[in-house]
Amino acid sequence: MPSRQKPMRYGHTEGHTDVCFDDTGSCIVTCGSDGDVRIWEDLDDDDPKSISVGEKAFSCDLKNGKLITAVSNNTVQIHTFPEGDPDGILTRFTMHVNHVTFSPDGTRVAAGSSDFMIKVVEVADSSKQKTFRGHDAPVLSLSFDPKDVYLASASCDGSVRVWSIADQTCTTSWLLLQKCNDVINAKSICRLAWQPGTGKFLAVPVDKVVELFRRETWDSQFTLSDASITEPLNVVAWSPCGQFLAAGSVNGNIVVWNVATQQCIERMKHEKKYSICGLAWHPKYKQIAYTDNEGNLGLLENIGDVEKPNDKVASAVTKDYNDLFDGDDDDYLNGDMVEPPSSPKTGDHEDDADDPVQPPGHVRRAVIDDDDDNSLDIGLIKARSGLLEKEDDGDDQTGGFSALPPSSTQQPFYDGPMPTPKQKPFQSGSTPVHLMHRFMVWNSVGIIRCYNDEQDNAIDIEFHDTSVHHATHLPNSLSHTMADLSTEAILLACDSTEELPSKLHCIHFGSWDANKEWTVDMPKDEDIEAICLGQGWAACATTALLVRVFTVGGVQREIFSLPGPVVSMAGHGEQLMVVYHRGTGFDGDQCLGVQLMELGMKKRQVLHGDPLALTMKSYLVWVGFSAEGTPCYVDSEGIVRMLNRGLGNTWIPVCNTREHCKGKYDHYWVVGIHENPQQLRCIPCKGARFPPTLPRPAVAILPFKLPYCQVTTEKGQMEEQYWRSVVFHSHVDYLSKNGYEFDENAKNQAVKEQQELLMKLFALSCKLEREFRCVELADLMTHNVVNLAIKYASRSHRLSLAQRLSDMAMQKASELAAARQEEEEEEEEEEEEDFRKHPSAGYSSSATEWGRLPGRNVQQDQEVEDAEETDACEEAEETPEVHKEKEPNRFSKGVTSAEVTTPKPVLVASSSRGRVNPFKVSSSKKDPVVPSANILDNMTKYSKKTSLSGSRAVNKQNPPVIKPLTPRPKTKQALAASFFQPRTPATNPGEKIVEETEEKAGNESQETKVTAQENTENRRPKTGFQMWLEENRANILTDNPDLNEAEVIKEGMSRFRMLTSEERMVWTEKARGGRVSDLAEDKKRKRSTAEEEEVKKSQEQKSEDTNASKKSKPLDPSTNRLSAFAFKQS
């Protein structure tokens, strides 16, 4: 052949080299691994202009005087051409960019990177970017459709995809290439290309052939091959006329075909058989510039010339017409015939006239004047345009074409929403499988890393808490790809191979016997897709749409079917959550469902395949449980959602991690969620979705924030804080209801915070004269805080509001009293039985007597209420001018407590939200009327416990860390107590619990002065100190009205020690002398107090049994008169 191959010359240092021509073809531009771009006037140019762009340049392209290069610092840079001046960075990635290319008009640039991302960026304004996600491995190459509608991409995941640029969705995908995990391991760099002008064909080098895919139908039309090609093809390039296609192979062969005839017209062998990695056609002449992976540049001239160069046009015309008539039948079977645009009579004119308006894939042959063909095509056109647009028959060759849909003549056209490709299964906390070094799982227990390179194929396991287990190194001979980790086991799984089935492998390091490992083979053709561990069990979901549950020791348990392919699963304690595809999503949305099950003693399903709420056009990236056991998940837009059990198991967004990202392409990779304290533990990833294994990533802690409106205002901020507190502490109710241990201090603290916020909102609403809103807020308050609200309203001279609040309090009290009555009737027998079994649970035996009738308490309660009413009136008169303060400090401490004799501990609790901490009482040491103190300070000053060291129930300290995985035995009382405020033992022998009315109506039992004195008399003094204390008690209380019983005794002891030894001896003698005469009086009193002691003791026993505690509440005679009605619980 007349084609001429010039000897190659050195261009760049050894490594991948790319090549292109400028717009006019006046010079050749190359880039290489030395980081330089060189501009050659021709192949013989010995002094090319050189532009240094970085350490390495992987790809370059040139259009409209702009040179773009993909550089090793993960950026795409622009330089002016031919000056070579830097013009800024166009876009950034997190890993190397493998290919860059201009759009046909030069206004946009597409770049594909090793971080799986493709970006299309406007050259004029680089902030206008579109991102295409879907590849699961590094992107190898890209090609713009000449009509700027589609973008084609090839990737190491083996797929070639066609994307719609406008809506960023994947139009079609083929699995054509061999999978690999990085560009250096790829057999071919698969530089694909669209046919210029019409974009009718997409050429893809697939192994040793070039496959041509038809636009719109996306069928493989035909393949181009040649016997000279013995190794995979690396790169293809179309001639500017669209008539010829060149391909270069990895062993240095270049082949050129005439696409219309599918004939090979040119073959060339590289002189040293180096891999061809760059091909570019001259924009005007039949020349091809090519580069190899050793940095050399070559040129092939006069391609396809059979005759003298000046006969080029004539020969082309003849050839075109011969092709049209000879091959048309075959071409019609394959779809539309290729129209060679090199013909000056038809092609050039036709392209100019039709291309801007013609939709792709229409019948182009109608332009040529051939009766038979025309009659066929016009019929088709009429059939089409009858549906789409009324056209004049004579107008069909021009206007009629513009109305045709973009599809082939044989296929109906669909213009509805496109289905979204289903996301693949994944393990939460893992990075992509194709990486050589990756995280298999990172959770709150530890980290499992996998290394798969030339030296080693191994798994490293590291525990955050080394007391759980020491770090472990395992060989990965079975190529495990999935892992999960809990405090008792490691679970691994691998896919099946041709020889071996899919296996589930468990290392149960928590086992007490010697055999800690077990393996289960899946049935044939069933692969594991997701795994998880819970407490005492493991589970896997398989391709057979089954979930298989095993014990942690290897016993097969339940099996159940999933309604669709699994996406991910998670376990915690007894809970198993499975997310799967419910159906096909459209327009970029996934269609997922979630099942939540409890696999404990009571097996039940909580969520029955409910739809999983995701942000628009996003997908699931993490699913799991908080450390306290609440299901959570994260989507690709960074929204964290949590199950709100308090609102019918709905999902509430609790954080948007994107708000914390500095850059547009930064993300947070979630590794754990904690509700108490409120922490979202995640790893910041700069410009990526996941972190590398080295260097070891640092964990950041993000705060939670519910998306409430107007959170910049004081009202919005407090509303968000209140509801966040409610949502993040609802797990305590779940744990208590299901018999788990939990931290009561934290619960109590949370309720206190909530009530403070409600009171602040109440004050704000009062200030704004929103009285209806005040009542709505009071409905959420506990009885104690309603008291404050009533006082606040009356002091703010809003008497109608105060009246409404007291009515509401009374109504609530009566409802709760009725409900409490039923509960207590049911419990009575059991309490009595339990009490008789353990007669001295926490009380001194001297204070415990039997046989009192149960009618006494009602009378006492009546006395308490009466006393409260009277004393409240006095208090109201005593402190009329407390609120002369500015608004924020309206709630002075004195508003609630102008105590006279006994303290009134402030218990902030809401039984509608579960149990409270029974051990904390407020310190009441402050002056009773302090106008400058905030009443909410009361809630924060729990200084002393109202307990003596004898009561083990009271002194028991719960650990600060929640332990949700140890169920405790449950009784009938415990079930009841999970809905109502539990009762506790009286915290010292001198305090008497007043039952029935107060207990039914409120959260705290009140202790009357009368009762306290009675009980003190019942235990006759046996020492001089006790005798002295009886006589001096009144003096101590007069001096220190805020002291409780324990503090009175303490104060008494210090005063008794200050007496002289003679005075102390006198009291000791008195005690000895009085003891005999006291015995008779003791017997008289014994009968009347026996039943009172029995009830008291039985209550303590019951409270021991149910492991719930409750404060005893001394009577405060200075309470506001409305407080008697404010025993509401919510």
Side-chain angles (χ1 to χ4, degrees):
M1 288 183 181
S3 67
R4 196 152 61 91
Q5 177 183 357
K6 289 195 172 183
M8 297 190 77
R9 65 168 299 155
Y10 170 82
H12 297 271
T13 55
E14 163 185 338
H16 178 88
T17 315
D18 204 4
V19 63
C20 61
F21 281 95
D22 73 336
D23 295 339
T24 60
S26 59
C27 53
I28 302 169
V29 179
T30 60
C31 72
S33 52
D34 50 11
D36 289 341
V37 172
R38 297 207 165 93
I39 302 167
W40 313 76
E41 289 182 10
D42 56 40
L43 198 63
D44 303 323
D45 183 2
D46 288 327
D47 187 21
K49 180 172 181 178
S50 189
I51 306 166
S52 178
V53 293
E55 277 185 36
K56 285 187 178 182
F58 299 112
S59 176
C60 65
D61 201 6
L62 176 60
K63 218 176 203 86
N64 301 348
K66 298 277 187 189
L67 171 69
I68 53 163
T69 47
V71 192
S72 54
N73 63 358
N74 308 346
T75 60
V76 176
Q77 299 184 3
I78 306 186
H79 289 76
T80 58
F81 183 85
E83 299 83 9
D85 300 329
D87 200 13
I89 290 174
L90 192 62
T91 185
R92 293 177 184 276
F93 291 85
T94 55
M95 295 180 79
H96 293 333
V97 182
N98 300 319
H99 194 205
V100 290
T101 180
F102 269 109
S103 62
D105 58 3
T107 59
R108 292 191 283 193
V109 170
S113 158
S114 287
D115 63 6
F116 316 173
M117 306 274 270
I118 299 167
K119 292 182 187 175
V120 173
V121 191
E122 299 276 350
V123 176
D125 180 4
S126 62
S127 64
K128 293 180 180 171
Q129 300 192 357
K130 289 188 174 181
T131 305
F132 299 80
R133 297 185 179 93
H135 282 302
D136 297 326
V139 179
L140 290 168
S141 75
L142 301 165
S143 177
F144 269 108
D145 160 28
K147 299 198 171 179
D148 228 3
V149 177
Y150 299 113
L151 177 73
S153 64
S155 163
C156 290
D157 63 12
S159 69
V160 172
R161 292 174 180 246
V162 178
W163 308 84
S164 167
I165 298 173
D167 55 8
Q168 295 169 253
T169 56
C170 178
T171 305
T172 188
S173 174
W174 307 281
L175 209 58
L176 301 173
L177 315 174
Q178 189 165 338
K179 291 185 181 181
C180 58
N181 60 5
D182 206 353
V183 181
I184 53 169
N185 301 327
K187 288 201 170 179
S188 158
I189 56 170
C190 192
R191 291 275 195 269
L192 35 72
W194 290 88
Q195 185 180 17
T198 60
K200 183 180 290 185
F201 289 115
L202 172 65
V204 184
V206 182
D207 200 26
K208 301 182 185 71
V209 300
V210 179
E211 282 207 41
L212 281 93
F213 291 92
R214 177 60 191 273
R215 184 194 184 94
E216 299 301 346
T217 65
W218 310 119
D219 301 328
S220 174
Q221 292 288 299
F222 53 93
T223 58
L224 299 175
S225 59
D226 190 69
S228 67
I229 304 171
T230 56
E231 292 288 323
L233 294 170
N234 235 359
V235 53
V236 297
W238 288 87
S239 62
C241 64
Q243 186 180 352
F244 303 112
L245 182 69
S249 74
V250 296
N251 66 341
N253 280 356
I254 295 178
V255 181
V256 182
W257 291 274
N258 181 325
V259 178
T261 60
Q262 300 178 28
Q263 296 297 311
C264 174
I265 61 167
E266 200 70 66
R267 296 181 186 86
M268 188 282 293
K269 282 193 189 307
H270 188 292
E271 51 207 45
K272 291 186 178 170
K273 296 193 175 179
Y274 292 154
S275 176
I276 305 292
C277 52
L279 276 183
W281 283 79
H282 193 288
K284 294 178 182 171
Y285 308 130
K286 295 192 174 177
Q287 291 180 353
I288 295 177
Y290 59 96
T291 50
D292 61 29
N293 62 0
E294 295 292 322
N296 301 312
L297 170 66
L299 194 65
L300 202 58
E301 296 181 323
N302 304 337
I303 294 160
D305 281 356
V306 188
E307 299 169 26
K308 293 193 291 289
N310 59 357
D311 291 339
K312 233 187 276 182
V313 172
S315 68
V317 173
T318 317
K319 191 168 184 355
D320 292 351
Y321 277 101
N322 288 340
D323 286 349
L324 286 173
F325 291 111
D326 291 344
D328 58 6
D329 290 337
D330 296 336
D331 290 330
Y332 253 101
L333 293 174
N334 290 326
D336 289 353
M337 206 199 82
V338 178
E339 170 78 20
S342 61
S343 158
K345 293 182 182 172
T346 57
D348 295 348
H349 169 75
E350 186 188 336
D351 281 353
D352 295 341
D354 288 340
D355 278 356
V357 292
Q358 271 175 213
H362 70 84
V363 185
R364 303 202 46 188
R365 294 183 44 176
V367 178
I368 297 163
D369 191 13
D370 177 7
D371 288 345
D372 294 339
D373 290 345
N374 249 349
S375 59
L376 168 66
D377 289 351
I378 289 169
L380 283 169
I381 291 161
K382 283 180 178 172
R384 288 286 179 88
S385 52
L387 294 169
L388 296 160
E389 189 178 346
K390 294 293 180 191
E391 284 285 351
D392 193 358
D393 287 355
D395 211 15
D396 55 6
Q397 289 189 3
T398 52
F401 279 74
S402 61
L404 294 180
S407 67
S408 81
T409 54
Q410 304 300 318
Q411 199 162 325
F413 176 62
Y414 171 68
D415 196 19
M418 296 306 292
T420 308
K422 291 181 177 178
Q423 77 171 101
K424 296 189 174 71
F426 69 91
Q427 283 296 114
S428 289
S430 70
T431 53
V433 177
H434 76 275
L435 298 173
M436 286 192 283
H437 292 193
R438 62 181 285 253
F439 292 112
M440 295 180 82
V441 69
W442 184 321
N443 61 19
S444 53
V445 178
I447 305 168
I448 301 183
R449 291 185 191 78
C450 177
Y451 302 97
N452 182 10
D453 48 31
E454 291 79 17
Q455 293 83 29
D456 202 6
N457 188 358
I459 291 171
D460 276 349
I461 298 144
E462 171 192 328
F463 292 83
H464 300 315
D465 180 0
T466 47
S467 65
V468 174
H469 197 262
H470 58 78
T472 308
H473 181 85
L474 305 171
N476 190 12
S477 53
L478 289 170
S479 296
H480 291 298
T481 55
M482 289 161 269
D484 199 12
L485 182 64
S486 75
T487 50
E488 53 185 5
I490 299 158
L491 192 64
L492 302 164
C494 63
D495 294 331
S496 61
T497 61
E498 287 176 9
E499 302 82 29
L500 296 170
S502 182
K503 292 175 185 287
L504 186 71
H505 181 65
C506 181
I507 302 162
H508 181 206
F509 57 78
S511 168
W512 42 263
D513 68 1
N515 298 320
K516 298 187 183 300
E517 300 190 26
W518 54 269
T519 304
V520 173
D521 290 357
M522 293 296 118
K524 193 169 183 281
D525 300 328
E526 187 175 330
D527 272 14
I528 296 171
E529 294 200 301
I531 58 174
C532 70
L533 278 165
Q535 189 195 9
W537 57 267
C540 67
T542 69
T543 49
L545 303 187
L546 291 176
V547 173
R548 298 175 176 275
V549 184
F550 302 82
T551 65
V552 78
V555 180
Q556 297 191 57
R557 280 181 52 180
E558 298 86 358
I559 296 178
F560 61 92
S561 284
L562 282 178
V566 71
V567 176
S568 192
M569 60 197 298
H572 183 279
E574 296 173 351
Q575 301 177 87
L576 165 65
M577 178 160 60
V578 188
V579 179
Y580 58 87
H581 289 287
R582 273 189 318 126
T584 302
F586 285 87
D587 283 344
D589 294 328
Q590 295 289 332
C591 180
L592 306 180
V594 58
Q595 288 189 2
L596 178 62
M597 319 184 71
E598 289 176 1
L599 302 174
M601 295 300 288
K602 293 178 184 169
K603 295 180 176 57
R604 67 191 190 99
Q605 196 165 358
V606 182
L607 297 175
H608 304 260
D610 303 10
L612 194 70
L614 292 172
T615 312
M616 296 282 283
K617 298 195 186 317
S618 72
Y619 53 92
L620 190 66
V621 295
W622 187 90
V623 60
F625 292 84
S626 69
E628 290 77 11
T630 307
C632 310
Y633 65 93
V634 186
D635 65 29
S636 57
E637 291 301 312
I639 306 294
V640 183
R641 290 179 178 84
M642 180 180 278
L643 189 72
N644 186 359
R645 300 186 199 269
L647 190 64
N649 291 330
T650 49
W651 297 98
I652 180 168
V654 292
C655 181
N656 181 359
T657 61
R658 300 287 299 143
E659 288 178 356
H660 302 276
C661 294
K662 292 189 177 72
K664 187 178 177 185
Y665 299 103
D666 298 348
H667 293 88
Y668 280 96
W669 193 69
V670 175
V671 295
I673 293 175
H674 293 257
E675 293 175 78
N676 186 27
Q678 292 179 20
Q679 289 182 350
L680 177 64
R681 302 174 70 80
C682 44
I683 294 167
C685 304
K686 187 106 179 112
R689 286 198 168 270
F690 54 85
T693 52
L694 290 171
R696 184 191 174 94
V699 176
I701 291 174
L702 296 186
F704 291 101
K705 183 173 150 192
L706 274 50
Y708 275 80
C709 303
Q710 295 178 315
V711 286
T712 49
T713 65
E714 194 182 3
K715 172 178 172 284
Q717 206 173 348
M718 288 192 288
E719 286 166 340
E720 188 274 336
Q721 287 173 359
Y722 171 77
W723 287 110
R724 175 152 47 86
S725 179
V726 170
V727 168
F728 276 83
H729 288 90
S730 62
H731 69 271
V732 180
D733 294 340
Y734 173 78
L735 294 172
S736 64
K737 196 167 74 180
N738 286 281
Y740 293 118
E741 291 181 22
F742 60 92
D743 185 358
E744 297 205 43
N745 293 345
K747 173 66 178 174
N748 204 35
Q749 184 67 20
V751 174
K752 177 180 74 85
E753 281 168 20
Q754 290 163 22
Q755 299 304 313
E756 278 185 17
L757 288 162
L758 286 174
M759 200 60 219
K760 288 176 185 171
L761 279 165
F762 182 89
L764 188 64
S765 302
C766 269
K767 201 173 172 183
L768 300 171
E769 300 187 350
R770 300 264 182 189
E771 295 196 2
F772 189 87
R773 187 183 290 168
C774 290
V775 176
E776 290 175 321
L777 288 164
D779 200 37
L780 300 167
M781 294 177 181
T782 60
H783 74 283
N784 228 44
V785 184
V786 171
N787 280 349
L788 302 189
I790 292 170
K791 289 175 184 176
Y792 185 88
S794 54
R795 295 250 161 50
S796 307
H797 308 295
R798 302 187 187 283
L799 299 179
S800 66
L801 174 60
Q803 186 56 47
R804 281 182 184 279
L805 293 178
S806 60
D807 292 347
M808 185 176 72
M810 282 182 73
Q811 185 187 343
K812 289 269 184 188
S814 59
E815 285 170 12
L816 289 164
R820 198 57 171 268
Q821 176 110 33
E822 288 175 27
E823 290 294 326
E824 291 190 347
E825 282 170 7
E826 287 175 15
E827 290 167 12
E828 220 166 57
E829 285 179 29
E830 226 169 306
E831 285 175 21
E832 186 68 27
E833 202 175 301
D834 288 345
F835 175 53
R836 289 183 183 275
K837 282 181 196 165
H838 310 280
S840 59
Y843 284 85
S844 64
S845 52
S846 63
T848 309
E849 302 189 50
W850 298 79
R852 216 194 67 179
L853 291 171
R856 175 81 178 84
N857 277 350
V858 182
Q859 185 193 338
Q860 282 186 339
D861 283 337
Q862 198 52 52
E863 289 168 22
V864 170
E865 265 187 36
D866 294 347
E868 265 195 324
E869 294 268 321
T870 348
D871 289 329
C873 299
E874 291 167 22
E875 189 268 353
E877 287 160 18
E878 275 172 42
T879 57
E881 295 299 315
V882 173
H883 282 277
K884 298 289 184 193
E885 277 294 315
K886 56 180 182 177
E887 196 71 37
N889 286 337
R890 262 203 192 279
F891 319 114
S892 71
K893 188 167 180 186
V895 177
T896 16
S897 50
E899 284 92 343
V900 182
T901 51
T902 54
K904 176 179 177 182
V906 178
L907 169 65
V908 185
S910 163
S911 78
S912 67
R913 287 185 189 85
R915 304 172 181 191
V916 295
N917 178 7
F919 313 137
K920 287 202 168 189
V921 294
S922 70
S923 156
S924 306
K925 288 184 182 175
K926 276 201 171 184
D927 188 78
V929 183
V930 186
S932 64
N934 190 317
I935 190 63
L936 295 165
D937 292 351
N938 233 4
M939 301 183 180
T940 60
K941 291 169 185 161
Y942 291 121
S943 63
K944 304 238 174 171
K945 300 204 168 22
T946 57
S947 65
L948 293 176
S949 57
S951 168
R952 63 182 176 86
V954 172
N955 285 340
K956 179 182 172 188
Q957 290 293 319
N958 277 329
V961 178
I962 198 142
K963 293 191 285 184
L965 303 180
T966 51
R968 54 174 161 71
K970 307 230 355 154
T971 63
K972 198 167 170 189
Q973 299 102 296
L975 282 165
S978 65
F979 295 100
F980 291 95
Q981 171 65 33
R983 294 171 288 286
T984 79
T987 50
N988 80 58
E991 289 181 18
K992 163 93 179 64
I993 287 186
V994 182
E995 217 188 359
E996 307 240 23
T997 312
E998 306 276 322
E999 280 215 335
K1000 291 171 202 159
N1003 279 353
E1004 34 185 320
S1005 57
Q1006 302 224 350
E1007 175 202 5
T1008 65
K1009 220 171 13 173
V1010 181
T1011 323
Q1013 286 164 359
E1014 270 181 25
N1015 280 355
T1016 314
E1017 285 169 10
N1018 288 343
R1019 292 183 305 282
R1020 297 307 298 167
K1022 302 197 171 40
T1023 67
F1025 166 67
Q1026 285 180 316
M1027 200 112 172
W1028 176 87
L1029 182 64
E1030 279 309 309
E1031 296 211 2
N1032 289 278
R1033 177 187 296 275
N1035 298 339
I1036 291 170
L1037 284 171
T1038 308
D1039 297 347
N1040 302 284
D1042 290 354
L1043 298 186
N1044 63 18
E1045 182 63 25
E1047 290 162 337
V1048 166
I1049 292 169
K1050 201 169 175 182
E1051 175 67 18
M1053 286 172 80
S1054 62
R1055 291 191 185 191
F1056 190 68
R1057 285 196 194 101
M1058 287 158 70
L1059 299 175
T1060 62
S1061 56
E1062 291 83 1
E1063 287 171 320
R1064 285 205 293 270
M1065 189 57 72
V1066 170
W1067 283 105
T1068 311
E1069 290 303 320
K1070 262 191 203 177
R1072 285 178 187 154
R1075 205 173 286 164
V1076 182
S1077 63
D1078 288 344
L1079 285 174
E1081 208 173 330
D1082 253 7
K1083 284 179 182 171
K1084 288 178 194 169
R1085 284 191 175 84
K1086 192 165 185 178
R1087 187 167 299 158
S1088 66
T1089 58
E1091 61 184 64
E1092 158 190 323
E1093 295 297 339
E1094 177 180 340
V1095 171
K1096 181 169 85 173
K1097 195 164 179 185
S1098 104
Q1099 274 195 307
E1100 169 160 4
Q1101 181 55 45
K1102 173 197 158 198
S1103 131
E1104 288 277 357
D1105 288 346
T1106 57
N1107 194 20
S1109 310
K1110 179 173 192 308
K1111 290 177 214 153
S1112 74
K1113 166 88 168 149
L1115 169 69
D1116 180 3
S1118 63
T1119 316
N1120 182 293
R1121 76 187 62 181
L1122 296 166
S1123 67
F1125 310 123
F1127 296 109
K1128 59 198 293 302
Q1129 298 211 349
S1130 62

